[in-house]
Amino acid sequence: MTATSSTADDILATARDLVILGGYNGFSYADIAQVVGIRKPSVHHHFPTKAELMRTLVSRYRGEAKAGMEHLDQQFPDPLDRLKAYTGYWKACIENANMPFCVCALLACEIPVLPVEVAEEVKAFFRFLSGWLTTIFELGQKEGTLKLSVLPHLEAEGFMATIHGAMLSARAYGQPEMFGMVTDPLIARLSSRN
């Protein structure tokens, strides 16, 4: 890794942390420069505009999510176990406060004020996540391991909304355990093993 890519990676990691803390408008390049330990023009050198920085961040975030979900697909062939692992990942992130919120869920709340290129990346993330979840629900329905109350694509949208809503509840109440209180009954409802 070159010094240039390392600095760019540091800028992206810092922007990610700052977005989770305060949203798109909750930080500036000066904030990033201070955390990374560089001058503000250096941030502009790597990412000329905040829109470019955030577009890159969301695109990278989607790529990381895709790799993580491919890993879950390989590690957990059972659809219910895959959903449990996905919710378990977020539960651990929220409890440990290492990533207490999905970057794209936060940015989705700000779609009306986001630059178009950032909003499109956020939408692409949700389309990807919905597609991945739909595949799991289709497989679970076919294998009889999941009890669906609606069509697989609608179940995927409801599941995704519940996960992100549980993140909001945990944050709003300041209680990380709220995430599991919301998601555990969802998993239990979907299980055909009950």
Side-chain angles (χ1 to χ4, degrees), residues 68-78 81-82 85:
M69 290 164 190
E70 287 171 355
H71 178 73
L72 290 179
D73 290 343
Q74 294 167 0
Q75 196 173 18
F76 301 98
D78 179 81
D81 290 340
R82 209 174 298 166

Side-chain angles (χ1 to χ4, degrees), residues 23-25 51 54 58 104 106-120 122:
Y24 181 83
N25 290 314
M54 294 305 298
V58 175
C104 289
L106 281 170
L107 291 173
C109 297
E110 299 183 76
I111 289 267
V113 298
L114 292 178
V116 173
E117 59 267 42
V118 179
E120 288 305 315
V122 172

